[in-house]
Structure formats: C-alpha cells, structure tokens
Amino acid sequence: MRSAATREDCIAAIGDLIGFPTVSRDPNRELLFHVEAFLGRHGIGCDIIWNHDRTKGNLWATIGPVDVPGVILSGHSDVVPVDGQHWTSDPFRLREADGRVYGRGSCDMKGFIGIVLAAVPHLVRRELKVPIHIAISYDEEVGCTGVTSLIDRIAVMPVRPALCIVGEPTSMQVVVGHKGGGMFRAVVSGRSTHSSLAPSAVNAIEYAAELIAYIKSLSKGHAHSGPHDHLYDVSHSTLSVTTISGGTALNIIPNHCEIGFDIRSLPEVDARALIADIRRHARTEILPRMRAVAPEASISVEPIVEFVGLSTDIEHPAVTFVKQLAGRNDHAKVAYGTEAGLFSNRAGVVSVVCGPGSIEQAHKPDEYLALSEIDRCRTFIGRLARQLEGAGLPWA
C-alpha cells in the first residue's frame, strides 16, 4: 500500500495552496476552508482556532487514534509579499519548469504542507497505531505570532504529542537548534531648538548614538567572550542596529530619534535579559544627563517581534528517529527563527525542523521548490507512515 502521494498529486496540492495569496497582511481564511473541505472529503475533521475577527486561524487535524502521543507535521500558511519583486510569471500561480515548481510559498512553506495534504488519502487507509497531527498556522512571517493560540491548546491537551516536525526548508536535513531573539525599537526623545543654541537643547540623535554604541559593545562582548556554539554559521549571539531616523533640518537640534535593532541569541542566552540590560544602561547612564537639561526627555525600548529559540538534544531518540526518516545522519543549527521553538518551549513537545527546499530560495522572486525535494519529502512521509503503523515511537 502506498503511504505517500505521487509527485503529480503533490504538485497539484502545492499549486492549490499557492493559488491563495496569503501574504501575512491578508487573511488565510479561504485557504483554511479549502483544507477543511479537502480533509472532510477523506473523513478527517479539523478544528480551526480563529483570531478575533475570524479572518485568520490555525488549523488542527488528526489522523489515527487520539489517545496516543503522536507526531505533528507543522507548517505556516502565510507568505511574504511580492511587492517590488520582478517575477517571471504570476507568483500566485504555480509554474513547473526546469525540474522545479515556481510560486510564492513553493519553498517557504506551502511545498511541505501540500506534500502532507497529498498524502492524506493514503494515510487514512493505514491502521496507524500512533496519530499524525496536521498543524497549519498563520502570521509566522511576522514573528511567529499566530501559532500561539494553537500552542496554548496543545500545552493543555490530556495526551500531548510526542514530536513536532516543522517543515521549514532545510533540504531535508534535520535541524535541532535555532537562535531566538527578535526585532526591537528604541525611541529617544529630547528637546529641540535652533542649532545656534545647541547647549540649551537635548540632541536626540547624539544620545541615540550613545545607545547604539552600547548595543554594539554588547554584540562585541558576545563575539569575544561567547558563549559560542560552532554548529551555527555565526557561533555567537549578535545584536545589530539596522535602522535609524530622526531630525528635521540641518539647523535644528533634533528632539526625536528612532532606532531599530535585531537580536539573534543562542538558545542559552536570554534575549530579554539583553533588552533589560539595554534599558538599564539607558535609564542610569544616558537619561540622567538628558534630564539635567530637559526633564521631559525619555528613552523607550520596546519589542516589535520576538521569537523563541530551539535547542533539542542531539542524543534524544526523537532526533535519531527523524534522521532515519530523512535517510541521513547529519544535523544542523540555523540562525533564522521558526515556530519549532514555541512548540518545544511553550507546548513541551520535542521539536525539530526538517522540510523540502533550501532557505536560500525563500522570500526571493521566482521562489521555487525542486522536484527532487518533493520526492525526498514524499519518501520521508512514507517512512513515517510505515513506522507509525508498525512499531510506533520508540521513546513515547
């Protein structure tokens, strides 16, 4: 009995998903209705956990017994915008050429979701002793914010899943760790005046520059002293100032400056502790000098997006299990964030990242997924089905 779909089945399912333009700023409702109807035709019910206005939601479905710890196959439905990108063809219509399928989300990550859905007709005919859970989330691309309502539900399930496989593009390599952190905004407010009277003002840009220098010093400290993990391309935590705006004219002392900065922290480094350190420095070292001239001066540091790191023990039997499914014995850690950190840290489910395609193709014009990657993922799901129909999970 076949446990995974044909390549053509997968291409069709991926094409259906690409046809829904689920950019993060837009709803994913119609895509969820499509998946709900597809699952229903195969006798599988699902739950949709809606946001407050029912424009977006997370979908959860189970194939197999509900009273046994199972395996989550997880992917996000949202994609990044195509604005300003030059595409050879319509980004929201699948195009097959040169041994690839093209379209926004083909790689990140409707390819994985489509391959999983294409396998459903074969999975439901198997006598699974361990369930497969299908999880489809929203708003991953804007900071993994949408999946939290699903995470909260999983955390209180009477029978919690034993493993989560997040199918982000890893070229089917097993990823056991990724950095946490987020993106943050610091706003420095001073006092403005004509530049000829500069000493009576508080120059927001100059004081923001001091804060930038402090953030840079923290990053240099981590580069020098660690901690280090050489499985990452960049072995240490990084803090990077990425945007700055302020000032109105060359002869006016600016009373406002805004900076944006990015933190990519190793899982053992608490990004929130770094933010607390930055706030403390602003409050105790910079702000008193500003308020000595302008009592109304202020500095605020707030998150725009935060994400949780992942650190799964490479000796955990779940890691060995997924390596066997992938047919390879290596593993990696990556700098980009995924929802796996939330499944692991907040839902208490052992998690790895493993999916078709390369992250190098994500977010780019003419995004694509190689047909060979579709085949490798089909094989992966077939092995998973056979394992769950037979011996089950060796650690659960």
Side-chain angles (χ1 to χ4, degrees):
M1 180 189 299
R2 287 190 295 127
S3 57
T6 66
R7 177 194 286 180
E8 290 70 27
D9 293 333
C10 294
I11 292 172
I14 295 167
D16 289 341
L17 297 175
I18 288 173
F20 295 96
T22 50
V23 175
S24 301
R25 64 188 174 220
D26 299 320
N28 75 337
R29 179 180 54 225
E30 297 306 317
L31 181 147
L32 295 182
F33 289 155
H34 165 78
V35 175
E36 181 182 42
F38 172 81
L39 293 173
R41 290 195 295 273
H42 296 284
I44 302 299
C46 65
D47 293 325
I48 299 177
I49 307 170
W50 294 105
N51 67 349
H52 68 283
D53 61 2
R54 297 180 68 84
T55 57
K56 299 181 180 182
N58 299 303
L59 183 145
W60 178 263
T62 298
I63 302 171
V66 297
D67 58 348
V68 178
V71 176
I72 305 170
L73 300 177
S74 177
H76 61 81
S77 62
D78 60 316
V79 297
V80 297
V82 298
D83 307 32
Q85 295 184 340
H86 176 71
W87 283 70
T88 303
S89 57
D90 183 348
F92 296 108
R93 184 175 180 178
L94 182 142
R95 175 172 65 93
E96 183 179 350
D98 308 318
R100 302 167 175 173
V101 291
Y102 293 84
R104 174 55 86 221
S106 56
C107 174
D108 185 19
M109 57 180 299
K110 291 179 176 179
F112 177 76
I113 298 172
I115 295 166
V116 171
L117 293 177
V120 166
H122 312 285
L123 295 174
V124 296
R125 293 198 293 268
R126 285 187 170 270
E127 296 183 4
L128 299 178
K129 296 182 175 63
V130 174
I132 291 176
H133 305 289
I134 299 173
I136 301 176
S137 64
Y138 69 96
D139 281 4
E140 190 273 349
E141 295 290 6
V142 291
C144 302
T145 56
V147 75
T148 53
S149 61
L150 177 58
I151 295 293
D152 291 342
R153 176 174 293 193
I154 293 171
V156 297
M157 282 182 174
V159 180
R160 193 180 305 170
L163 170 65
C164 179
I165 301 170
V166 176
E168 291 278 4
T170 68
S171 300
M172 298 307 296
Q173 183 180 36
V174 179
V175 167
V176 297
H178 64 67
K179 293 183 178 181
M183 286 157 270
F184 304 84
R185 178 188 296 113
V187 178
V188 181
S189 298
R191 176 186 288 174
S192 184
T193 190
H194 193 280
S195 58
S196 64
L197 301 173
S200 65
V202 172
N203 190 319
I205 290 178
E206 291 181 352
Y207 283 106
E210 291 189 23
L211 190 61
I212 290 171
Y214 186 70
I215 293 170
K216 177 64 174 178
S217 73
L218 291 177
S219 190
K220 290 175 66 176
H222 280 271
H224 181 265
S225 302
H228 292 273
D229 185 336
H230 294 285
L231 278 179
Y232 289 96
D233 289 342
V234 178
S235 67
H236 53 85
S237 301
T238 60
L239 298 88
S240 306
V241 175
T242 51
T243 63
I244 182 167
S245 63
T248 55
L250 292 176
N251 60 350
I252 299 175
I253 301 299
N255 68 348
H256 181 87
C257 185
E258 200 169 292
I259 65 172
F261 62 99
D262 172 283
I263 295 177
R264 303 286 166 156
S265 57
L266 296 177
E268 60 266 37
V269 174
D270 185 351
R272 292 187 174 183
L274 293 174
I275 292 298
D277 191 5
I278 292 168
R279 287 183 177 134
R280 177 203 57 76
H281 182 82
R283 183 180 66 253
T284 62
E285 301 297 327
I286 300 176
L287 196 55
R289 290 182 283 117
M290 297 173 65
R291 287 182 171 171
V293 178
E296 71 275 20
S298 65
I299 302 175
S300 65
V301 180
E302 301 299 334
I304 300 171
V305 169
E306 294 181 278
F307 45 88
V308 179
L310 172 71
S311 182
T312 299
D313 184 355
I314 61 172
E315 300 299 329
H316 195 287
V319 175
T320 302
F321 176 78
V322 181
K323 287 180 177 180
Q324 291 170 344
L325 300 180
R328 53 193 299 175
N329 197 39
D330 57 338
H331 57 267
K333 297 181 180 181
V334 295
Y336 58 85
T338 79
E339 293 170 335
L342 289 167
F343 280 103
S344 176
N345 289 278
R346 298 188 183 175
V349 179
V350 177
S351 301
V352 298
V353 186
C354 185
S358 168
I359 196 66
E360 293 296 322
Q361 310 308 326
H363 300 188
K364 294 180 178 179
D366 287 343
E367 177 184 347
Y368 69 82
L369 178 64
L371 298 181
S372 59
E373 288 292 294
I374 293 176
D375 291 340
R376 292 172 68 192
C377 189
R378 291 193 304 117
T379 300
F380 180 97
I381 293 175
R383 289 170 177 160
L384 174 64
R386 288 191 293 274
Q387 181 70 28
L388 300 189
E389 190 178 39
L393 301 175
W395 72 94

